[in-house]
Amino acid sequence: MKKRGKGMGCMWYPIGFTVMANPSAATVKVNEDGTATLITGTVETGQGSLTVLGQIAAEELGISTDDVHVVSADTDATPMDTGAIASRTTYVTGNAIQLAAEKAKNILFDVAAPMLGVRPDQLEAKDRRIQVKGFPQSCLPIGEVAAHAQNGAGTPALGSASYNPPTVAMDPETGQGKPFSTYVYATQIAEVEVDEETGEVEVLRIAAAHDCGTAINPMLVEGQIQGGISMGVGMAIQEEMLFDDEGRQINPNLTNYIMPTSLDMPDLEVDIVENFDPTGPFGAKGVGEPTAVATSAAICNAIYDAVGARIYNLPATAEKVLAAIKSKDHSDRQKYLPAG
Amino acid sequence: MTDVTLTINGEERSASVPPETSLLRLLRDEFFLTGSKLGCDVGDCGACTVIVDGLPVNACLMLAGQVDGRDVVTIEGLATLEDLHPIQKAFEEFASLQCGFCGPGVIISAKGLLDRNPDPTKEEIKDALSGNLCRCTGYTKMIEAVQDAARILRGEKEAA
Ligand code: FES
Ligand code: FES
């Protein structure tokens, strides 16, 4: 008989480690045609970070993301970055970029103020213009201000900045401290179908609610969550590296190291729970790694709900689930360990 | 050496290659069509998918000699100088790819499906893409893009 069950997994995940130096740096340059160039050391691996970082620069400068030319990851020319790791890019590199763009913007404000007959602090950058707050008709195109900064005032509109989440040493006595700048939270709920006769698990549906601070690009956040869940599904029921006694991997191919295909993927429902983190760029935190954390817990809880079998050793392959179903005692205390 | 003459993306091409050369190596190393990717070279990942006489195949599993006289469409054959193919456009629109390595194979598999079945169900799309492994995306946005491209190709929706 096939039995259905639902299970939930909840998690928190740290963003922006503080136990050691964790810096990113950036330069933002506003060009005479109103575009901007963003120079960053971080590398795009497909998650869309350069889009998000370009959006951050654009938002700060009041221009369109299309106006931002991103130069990234050129070891000859760009600043070193701690890395596209630890779900830190939007948060740490994003903060550096916002600060750099703000510096360039302040130069534009200083140059535009006398042109518009106001103080720099009365200005804002919006809709590709430098304009007087509350009097948007009193404005100058941002490119014109950048040209004047370069050719008239002699103060080119560029800013460089770095951001390093404040390093906090752990208390050597208690081991306590503040190892990360901020945290994200998520809950995933899985619905599974378990074949009691074979132990085979099919994941039917996963609903995932994730907090990532401000979702600067909701579509990309959704992509991260969907991709993370596919990794979580693999971790939960399929993927396992097997080694022989000499430590050689015995399943080094995609024929025997099984990862989810389109047919293994459940229907996904993604809910982005926005909130504003005052320490992040425009309130953003991060989303990458956290997406895969709750999935296997949710799936294993769903398996328990379906057939009363607890799996403590991933992946929950058909063999393990069947053995757990067959073992007399399904209680929470009894841990299933693989034979041998 | 094996002599092969075949049509690639509408153009006749010839080469003389060692007999063990796969179609994938022929495309990549002889004709420098590097859009088809070499992922596993043993038929597991689908990154090398091309269309041979209307059907998607793993180019790493076919010998160059077997395509003599046949018609091959690779990812390079989809876009024109002016425009991306509707499937490519939909993939862009839906942010269907992340690292992109699986992309050429996935898009070719999708084209193979839509050429045969212009109005596939979600299950049929999942089935058609099941030979293309993707480590990044969870496939969801690819499936949505294929559905959207199908609507555009059927003329039910304006291209974006
Ligand atoms: S390279 Fe052909 S299937 Fe992987
Ligand atoms: S987008 Fe990276 S493997 Fe598919």
Side-chain angles (χ1 to χ4, degrees):
Chain A
M1 257 249 307
K2 288 190 178 176
K3 291 247 171 101
R4 285 196 179 192
K6 287 192 184 122
M8 187 189 283
C10 303
M11 68 109 228
W12 56 261
Y13 200 90
I15 305 285
F17 61 81
T18 56
V19 287
M20 55 199 231
N22 181 13
S24 284
T27 293
V28 172
K29 172 167 82 83
V30 183
N31 304 311
E32 292 80 346
D33 61 357
T35 64
T37 307
L38 160 62
I39 302 170
T40 167
T42 197
V43 66
E44 170 69 62
T45 58
Q47 73 279 54
S49 57
L50 297 188
T51 304
V52 167
L53 297 175
Q55 283 181 271
I56 290 171
E59 185 72 19
E60 187 64 31
L61 293 170
I63 59 179
S64 153
T65 308
D66 288 343
D67 299 337
V68 181
H69 175 58
V70 185
V71 179
S72 85
D74 178 343
T75 49
D76 270 350
T78 60
M80 181 66 185
D81 194 87
T82 300
I85 53 154
S87 306
R88 64 181 286 289
T89 301
T90 298
Y91 184 77
V92 182
T93 312
N95 264 331
I97 287 165
Q98 191 182 0
L99 290 169
E102 190 188 18
K103 283 189 184 170
K105 185 177 77 176
N106 286 337
I107 293 174
L108 294 173
F109 285 174
D110 286 341
V111 169
M115 297 166 85
L116 292 166
V118 294
R119 294 190 316 273
D121 64 6
Q122 290 174 289
L123 294 171
E124 63 184 356
K126 226 182 147 187
D127 301 331
R128 298 184 166 124
R129 292 192 295 254
I130 304 297
Q131 63 189 35
V132 179
K133 283 180 209 163
F135 299 94
Q137 63 282 19
S138 181
C139 65
L140 291 162
I142 191 166
E144 200 178 309
V145 180
H148 195 71
Q150 175 75 31
N151 304 318
T155 53
L158 61 89
S160 290
S162 62
Y163 182 75
N164 179 47
T167 308
V168 190
M170 294 292 142
D171 186 310
E173 297 257 312
T174 63
Q176 295 197 323
K178 185 181 189 297
F180 293 89
S181 253
T182 188
Y183 296 84
V184 297
Y185 307 89
T187 293
Q188 293 184 6
I189 299 174
E191 184 175 8
V192 303
E193 191 168 78
V194 185
D195 188 325
E196 278 187 308
E197 269 151 47
T198 63
E200 201 178 345
V201 176
E202 189 181 349
V203 186
L204 303 171
R205 223 149 56 94
I206 289 182
H210 282 255
D211 145 52
C212 60
T214 302
I216 290 180
N217 189 316
M219 192 186 221
L220 293 175
V221 170
E222 216 176 75
Q224 288 291 287
I225 296 172
Q226 292 164 343
I229 291 174
S230 77
M231 297 175 201
V233 168
M235 187 202 287
I237 60 173
Q238 297 177 312
E239 296 182 40
E240 183 173 31
M241 287 206 200
L242 300 167
F243 297 96
D244 69 12
D245 291 345
E246 262 83 57
R248 284 179 303 236
Q249 194 186 348
I250 56 177
N251 61 341
N253 298 302
L254 293 165
T255 338
N256 40 26
Y257 179 93
I258 307 296
M259 55 173 276
T261 69
S262 50
L263 290 173
D264 300 308
M265 278 304 289
D267 284 334
L268 302 182
E269 201 178 307
V270 171
D271 188 12
I272 300 169
V273 184
E274 286 217 53
N275 80 59
F276 187 92
D277 187 295
T279 66
F282 299 104
K285 297 190 279 190
V287 72
E289 295 154 297
T291 57
V293 175
T295 316
S296 46
I299 290 173
C300 286
N301 284 335
I303 294 172
Y304 180 72
D305 186 44
V307 292
R310 275 284 173 209
I311 302 296
Y312 291 99
N313 184 294
L314 296 178
T317 55
E319 292 95 312
K320 284 186 205 166
V321 174
L322 188 63
I325 292 171
K326 288 210 166 138
S327 77
K328 294 265 181 301
D329 181 6
H330 295 161
S331 84
D332 277 21
R333 296 280 155 261
Q334 185 235 346
K335 298 202 173 187
Y336 171 73
L337 294 171
Chain B
M1 299 296 267
T2 304
D3 293 329
V4 281
T5 299
L6 70 163
T7 308
I8 304 177
N9 301 328
E11 208 180 301
E12 194 173 280
R13 311 283 290 263
S14 297
S16 186
V17 292
E20 70 275 17
T21 307
S22 67
L23 169 57
L24 180 60
R25 303 261 182 196
L26 176 76
L27 293 170
R28 291 180 56 88
D29 301 345
E30 292 298 315
F31 300 131
F32 306 113
L33 294 168
T34 53
S36 312
K37 301 299 175 209
L38 194 156
C40 63
D41 218 9
V42 292
D44 285 334
C45 74
C48 63
T49 311
V50 299
I51 293 176
V52 178
D53 289 343
L55 286 179
V57 301
N58 288 334
C60 69
L61 289 186
M62 214 168 172
L63 289 172
Q66 292 176 295
V67 290
D68 188 43
R70 302 175 86 165
D71 185 79
V72 175
V73 177
T74 71
I75 189 72
E76 288 90 347
L78 265 57
T80 61
L81 269 185
E82 291 78 43
D83 235 336
L84 291 174
H85 186 279
I87 301 175
Q88 291 171 310
K89 246 193 217 160
F91 270 60
E92 189 179 37
E93 202 63 29
F94 282 76
S96 300
L97 296 171
Q98 291 183 28
C99 82
F101 192 84
C102 67
V106 172
I107 289 169
I108 287 288
S109 288
K111 180 172 162 37
L113 171 70
L114 297 184
D115 286 349
R116 279 171 291 141
N117 176 359
D119 192 6
T121 63
K122 194 173 162 190
E123 284 315 307
E124 286 169 330
I125 296 171
K126 280 186 164 190
D127 201 51
L129 301 188
S130 64
N132 297 90
L133 295 179
C134 175
R135 185 74 276 188
C136 305
T137 66
Y139 309 98
T140 313
K141 290 188 186 301
M142 294 177 181
I143 295 164
E144 287 165 0
V146 176
Q147 286 174 316
D148 196 66
R151 278 191 288 274
I152 290 165
L153 287 164
R154 290 199 304 270
E156 288 169 19
K157 190 186 161 196
E158 287 284 305

